[in-house]
Amino acid sequence: MQTVIIKETTILKADKRIKRLITRSHKLATEHKRDLYVDNPEFLVYHWSGEAAAFSPNTGELSADKDTRINLGDHNARVDIGGKFPFINEMPSKKNGFEYTPGNWSEDYAFFLDHSPAEVLHNEEIVGEFHWMLEEARFFQYPESQRELGRKARELGAGGISFTHTAPDLSIGLFLGWSGILDKIRERRRAFTEYGNKKSAEYLAASETVALAIMRYIEKHADKADMLAENETDPELKANYEFVAANTRAIISAPPSTFAEAVQWIQFFTTVERINGHGNGYGRLDQLLYPFYKKDLEEGKINREKARNLVAELYLKYGGNYWAFGGKDRDQKDATNEMSWIGIEAYDITGGYNHLGLMWHPNIDKDFFNYGCDVVARHNCGTPTLINYDILRNSQLKSGVDEEDAWNVAYSGCQWYCVVGKEYNDQDLNSLVLIQPMQRAMQITADRNIDDFEDFWQIYDHEVNRTANILRDFKNETYLWQAKVWPEMVTSFCMHGPIEKGRDVTDMQAVKYNYTSVNILGTPNVVDSIYAMKKLVFEQKKYSMKDLIKVLDSDWEDEEIMRRNFLNQPKYGNDIDEVDSLSIRVSEHIREVLENKRNIKGYWFRPSLFQYMGHTYAGQFVGATPDGRKAKEPVAHGNNPMHGRNTEGMASTMRSFCKLDYSNYQGGSFQVELQPSFFPEGSRKGDFVEIFAETFFEMGGVQINLNTIDLKLLKEAMEHPEEEEFKNIVVKVTGYSAHFTVMDRKFQEEFLQRVNYSSL
Amino acid sequence: MIIGDNCLESTIFDIHRLSTHDGPGMRTVLFLKGCTLRCRWCQNPESFRIQQEVWHYPQNCIGCGHCIDICPEGALKRDVTNGIKINQSVCTGCGLCADQCPGKALKKNGQNYTTTEIEQILDKEKPFMIKSGGGVTISGGEPLIQADAVTEIFKKAIANSISTALDTCGQIPWSSFEKVLPYTDLVLYDLKHIDPDKHKQLTGTDNHLIQENLIKLVEYIQQPENNTSLWIRTPLIPGATLEKSNIKGIARFLMNNLPDKFDRWELCAFNPLPIEKYDRLGMDWEYRDIPLLTKEEGTQALFWAQSLSFDPEKIILTGLTSND
C-alpha cells in the first residue's frame, strides 16, 4: 500500500457488437421496459399484498392500478412492448374451463408459449426473450382459505408469497438435452401408470405437454433465424443469423455439445422458466460451463474472448440473473477455474446492472478475488456481491443438510443461497415484522402493570410465538395448494426428484430439502427499543409503559425531550457489549421460536436477518418505536444498525454485527456505502474493497453489499432524472441492483439516508 | 496532563477512522488539542487551545433552555435563530451543559482519553491496519505539546504491532521530538512557507525553529540504527502558500538539505469546508469565500515542485480539486 502508482491492469473493453447490445439493455431499463411491480406497500413489508398472489402482473385481470402500484426498479427479465398478451381470450382455461390441476396449467402454458413470438434480433448471437408472463394470461390466485389466513397473519405482523426462489441444477438439462428430459418424463409416466398412481401419471403427462411446447418454442427461433438469414443481404448480418439458426437448431432435442450451444441452452431454459415465475437463482455458472469451455478450447473452437462475449450476451439478454462463482468443490478445494474469471470478465465489459455473487473462502485464488474486488470498485454497482462460502455451507450443515449436498451451495438471490437442484426452501419472500409482537407485548405489560423486565420478556416471547404460529398456518395452507395453483413445472425439469417422483418441485416430498425461510424485519429497532425500555422503564423507572405507549401513539408529539432520552440511549452498531448482547438474545430468540415450528413438509422455519425493501415502507405500518424513532422514518435495513446510529466507525459496526454467528441464520448482509472521496488519489480502489471484505469475512460476516457512489451525485440525479449523465447510475439497493433514476422515489430517499463511511 | 502513576491522559478533539489521507494504508488518526501556531487557514480551529471548549449544534437544538440554568458562568442565552448562543469568552469549557443537553446539541470539544482507552480504540481498528499496511497517526493541533502522552500511545501501539506516524508542524522544542522519535515509524512534517517574514505573518511565528528541527530530524533519520521515515507536507493556500516563489523555495530547501531523505512530498489542496467550525467557535475566518483549487492550479503547483531534480513520483498532489 506504500506505492502511489496505479498498478498496471489491462482494463477489458467490449467490442462494437457487444457495445450495441449494452446500449440496448440500458435503454430497456431507462425506458421502463424492465420494470417489476408490487401491488402495494404491504407487499414490501409483509411480502404478501393481499391482492395478487405474488408480484403484481404487469397487465391482465390481476394487475394493479397504475397509480398505486410500486415500482421496484428494472428488476424484470420481461421486456415490455406495451399492451396485454394478444391471445388472452383464447387461453385454454378461458375457453375450456379453469381447474387447479397440473394438466390445466400445462395446457395454458403450452398455448402461451406457442403464441409467444420468437425474437431473433439482429446483432445478437444468443437469443430468447419474452414480453408477457403467464400470470398475465392465466388466473393465478389462491383460494379464500389461504387468503383469509394471509390477512390474519398480517394482523399479527407476518406474511409471504411462495414463488420461485430456488436454484435448479442446470447440469441436468445440459447433460440430457430436451429429448433426454422428455424421455425421462415418459419413462416415469409409464412406470406410475403401471403402479396405478394416477396423480403422478397426470402430473407427468402435463410435464410432457410443457416439455414439447418448449421444444417447439426453440424450433421457432431456428426457423426464424433461417428465414432472416435467407432474406439478408449484408454478409455480416447474414452470417450472424446463420450462426443463430445452427446454434438453436442443434439444441431443440439434443443436449448442447459446444460452449455456444450450452450458453444458448441456458438462455432458453431461463427464458421459458422465468416466463411463469420471478427470481430463481441458477447456480454456479463457472462449474456449469467449464467442461464445455475446456472441450471447445482443446478442439480449437473457441478462445477466451469469444467465450467472454457469449457470457456477456447471456447477462444482457436475461437482464441480470443470480449466478455464483468461486466457492469450494466437493473435496473442499478451491473451485475457481478459468470460467470463473471469464464470468467476471464478462461483467467487466458490460458493467451496470447485474447480480453476480463471488463466494470467497480463505483459500480462494487470491488473484481472482482481487480481480473481483477491483471490478466492484471500478463499476460502482455493488457487483459482484461478496459472500463467505464457508458460512453458507455451515449454515446448511447446521440445518441438517447432508455433507454430500452442502458443498454445492450457490449464492442465489438478494441474500439467500441454495443447495443447487435439491431444495425448495421458500426463500426470501416471507416476512416477520418483529416490531409488531414487541408492541403487543408492551401493551399487555402496561395493561397488567408488569414492572419486571424478565416478565416483559416472557410476554414478548409469547407474542413472537403467536406471530410465528399464524405465519406457519398461512404457509402450510399455501403449501397445500401450491402445486395445484401454480406448479413450477419447468424448474422441476432441472431438480433432483420431481420427475423421478412424479411430483412438482412445489409439492410435498418432491425434493430433498423443504425448510421455510423467513426474513426478519426491524431487528435493530427491536434491540434498540427493548434496551431503551429496559433502562428507562424497568430499571430507572423514569417513564411508565403506559405513558410510553400513549406518547408513541401520538408519534412523540410535544414530547421531544422524552424522545431524545430514548434516542440517546446506547445503540446497536457501536460495539457496546451490553447492547450487542441484547442483539444476540433477540436474534437467537427468533431463531429458536422459528425452529420449533413445523411446515407441512416436515421441516422447520429458518430466519434470515435481512429483508430487501420493507424497511423503507414499514414506518406507516408500525408507527413510532421506543428506540426514539418517529413514524415517518424507515426502520433498520436487515441487521444493519438503524440509519445514523453507528457513530464509531466501520470496525465497530462490523464488530457489533459479527457478534452474531451467521451460520445460525440464512443470510444477513452488511451494507456499506462509500463515497469516492474515501479513496486517495492514485490508489487502487479494489484493494480497499478487498481489505473491507476480507476483514469482514474473517470476523465471521456472511455477505457484504458495497456501494461506492457519490451521494451528491445521487441527489442531483433525483432532481434531474431525465439528464443523460444520471441515467446510467446503478446502485446496489439491497440484495439486488437497480438503475437509480428508475426506482421509486421513496426508495431513492431512503438510499440517500444511509451512512457513508467517508466522513469519519 | 498526568493523572496517577501509569495513566497518562491526552486531550483529543477528533478521531478519524479508516483514513487514507494521513499516512500509508488505512489509519486511525488522533487529533490532539493545542497548537503552537495560528495558521490563518487552519482546517481545525478547535485545535488552537488545549483547553476544552463547548460547541453548539443548532440542528439538534430543541430550544428547551435547560442549559442556560445549568451554566455556572452564565455563558448561555437564548437565540432566536439557533436556539441558544454561547459566549465563548466567558465559557470555561467545563461541559456541564453538554452533559445535560437532551438533544445532544451541546458538545464538549476536546475529550480526555487515557492511553489505555486509546490502546483499546486502536486494537479494534487493528485488522484493517494490518491488512492495508496502515497504523495510527497522531496529529492535531501540534501533538508534541503532549509529547509524554504521545510517547506512551506509540509505545503501546508498537507493542501491539501497530505502525506509528507523527504529523507535526515542527514548532516545538527538539527535546519533545527526542522523546517520541524512538517509537515513530513515520514523520509527516509540515513546511508551509520558506520566507521567514511571510511565515510569521501567516502562522504567528517565523520558520527558524521549524527548519532547525527538520535538519536535526534528518540527522536522526540518517543514523543506521534508526528506522524512521519522513514525508514532507505543504498546504496549498491561495494568496498565502500557493505561490511559485514559495513552492520553488521549499523545493530548493529540500534539495539543499535533504534531497534523498524524504520518501514523499505532499502538496495538500486547500479545503473550504471548515466554515461551520469557525461559526461554532464564534471566530472569524478570512478564507470563508475561497473556493476549491482547480485541477489546473494543483497541476501547476506540482510543476513548480518538480522543477528541481527530484524523483517526480515522490511529489504528490492530495485533496479535492474542482474541474471548473
Side-chain angles (χ1 to χ4, degrees), chain B residues 48-117:
Chain B
F48 288 166
R49 299 165 64 210
I50 195 166
Q51 298 88 343
Q52 269 181 205
E53 293 151 317
V54 173
W55 278 11
H56 181 240
Y57 291 79
Q59 66 267 34
N60 293 349
C61 182
I62 58 175
C64 67
H66 278 3
C67 53
I68 299 172
D69 302 320
I70 291 169
C71 177
E73 310 298 327
L76 295 157
K77 67 172 204 265
R78 285 209 181 265
D79 181 87
V80 167
T81 327
N82 292 329
I84 58 110
K85 192 171 159 73
I86 306 174
N87 185 343
Q88 290 290 353
S89 53
V90 173
C91 172
T92 61
C94 70
L96 280 172
C97 58
D99 291 338
Q100 300 274 343
C101 174
K104 291 247 158 82
L106 289 165
K107 289 201 182 126
K108 279 187 279 205
N109 183 3
Q111 205 179 318
N112 289 340
Y113 289 86
T114 65
T115 54
T116 310
E117 285 170 327

Side-chain angles (χ1 to χ4, degrees), chain B residues 223-264:
Chain B
Q223 278 147 52
E225 66 269 22
N226 294 331
N227 275 323
T228 308
S229 318
L230 173 64
W231 290 7
I232 306 290
R233 302 227 282 200
T234 301
L236 299 179
I237 315 296
T241 63
L242 183 56
E243 287 163 352
K244 189 168 170 181
S245 52
N246 185 37
I247 304 299
K248 283 195 149 181
I250 296 176
R252 218 171 293 121
F253 177 84
L254 294 174
M255 193 68 203
N256 293 339
N257 294 288
L258 53 148
D260 54 352
K261 297 294 177 289
F262 63 94
D263 294 335
R264 191 162 156 167

Side-chain angles (χ1 to χ4, degrees), chain B residues 53-199:
Chain B
E53 293 151 317
V54 173
W55 278 11
H56 181 240
Y57 291 79
Q59 66 267 34
N60 293 349
C61 182
I62 58 175
C64 67
H66 278 3
C67 53
I68 299 172
D69 302 320
I70 291 169
C71 177
E73 310 298 327
L76 295 157
K77 67 172 204 265
R78 285 209 181 265
D79 181 87
V80 167
T81 327
N82 292 329
I84 58 110
K85 192 171 159 73
I86 306 174
N87 185 343
Q88 290 290 353
S89 53
V90 173
C91 172
T92 61
C94 70
L96 280 172
C97 58
D99 291 338
Q100 300 274 343
C101 174
K104 291 247 158 82
L106 289 165
K107 289 201 182 126
K108 279 187 279 205
N109 183 3
Q111 205 179 318
N112 289 340
Y113 289 86
T114 65
T115 54
T116 310
E117 285 170 327
I118 299 291
E119 198 181 1
Q120 284 163 358
I121 289 171
L122 295 181
D123 190 57
K124 286 190 194 188
E125 308 290 320
K126 191 175 161 186
F128 292 111
M129 294 172 180
I130 303 296
K131 270 215 200 299
S132 67
V136 59
T137 299
I138 300 192
S139 177
E142 176 43 57
L144 288 176
I145 292 176
Q146 304 182 54
D148 290 325
V150 173
T151 309
E152 281 306 301
I153 291 171
F154 275 2
K155 262 192 201 163
K156 288 182 171 168
I158 287 172
N160 197 11
S161 308
I162 291 173
S163 164
T164 59
L166 175 72
D167 183 12
T168 176
C169 72
Q171 180 65 26
I172 197 86
W174 175 250
S175 53
S176 299
F177 273 100
E178 282 180 321
K179 287 180 188 173
V180 174
L181 281 175
Y183 309 100
T184 308
D185 294 315
L186 170 67
V187 176
L188 306 160
Y189 202 96
D190 273 10
L191 285 181
K192 303 181 212 278
H193 211 291
I194 199 69
D195 178 82
D197 294 325
K198 270 229 133 148
H199 196 282

Side-chain angles (χ1 to χ4, degrees), chain A residues 72-128:
Chain A
L72 293 188
D74 55 310
H75 195 41
N76 215 337
R78 175 189 182 280
V79 176
D80 188 62
I81 56 172
K84 300 200 285 211
F85 179 62
F87 304 94
I88 198 169
N89 293 319
E90 281 124 86
M91 293 285 285
S93 61
K94 275 262 160 61
K95 296 182 90 171
N96 308 332
F98 177 91
E99 279 177 350
Y100 278 141
T101 63
N104 195 275
W105 191 94
S106 69
E107 301 274 317
D108 268 356
Y109 179 93
F111 179 88
F112 187 75
L113 204 59
D114 284 340
H115 290 80
S116 292
E119 299 288 10
V120 176
L121 310 172
H122 70 266
N123 201 44
E124 50 182 26
E125 288 183 0
I126 301 295
V127 301

Side-chain angles (χ1 to χ4, degrees), chain A residues 1-2 4-5 560-561 564 568 575 648-651 654-655 677-678 680 688 691-692 694-695 698 760, chain B residues 15-18 20-21 24 26 60 62 64 66 102-104 124-125 127-128 131-132 264 313 316-317:
Chain A
M1 292 297 293
Q2 306 264 355
V4 244
I5 305 160
E560 185 58 13
I561 294 180
R564 296 294 178 127
N568 291 327
D575 197 15
E648 303 305 301
M650 197 195 290
M654 279 189 185
R655 284 167 67 106
S677 57
F678 176 87
F688 289 102
I691 290 168
F692 290 134
E694 270 187 16
T695 307
E698 283 165 10
L760 284 169
Chain B
I15 300 179
H16 282 190
R17 294 178 175 86
L18 303 181
T20 51
H21 304 286
M26 291 184 184
N60 293 349
I62 58 175
C64 67
H66 278 3
K104 291 247 158 82
K124 286 190 194 188
E125 308 290 320
F128 292 111
K131 270 215 200 299
S132 67
R264 191 162 156 167
E313 279 168 8
I316 319 276
L317 178 67

Side-chain angles (χ1 to χ4, degrees), chain A residues 4 23 56 58 80 100 148 199-200 207 252 254 397 403 449 506 533 549 568 578 597 600 610 630 682 689 701 708 750:
Chain A
V4 244
T23 305
S56 189
N58 287 60
D80 188 62
Y100 278 141
E148 196 193 329
K199 187 160 175 263
S200 287
S207 288
I252 296 169
L397 290 169
E403 252 191 59
N449 293 312
T506 57
M533 289 190 290
I549 293 172
N568 291 327
E578 215 192 332
K597 310 301 171 200
I600 204 173
F610 200 72
K630 286 188 152 187
V689 173
T708 54
E750 185 271 337

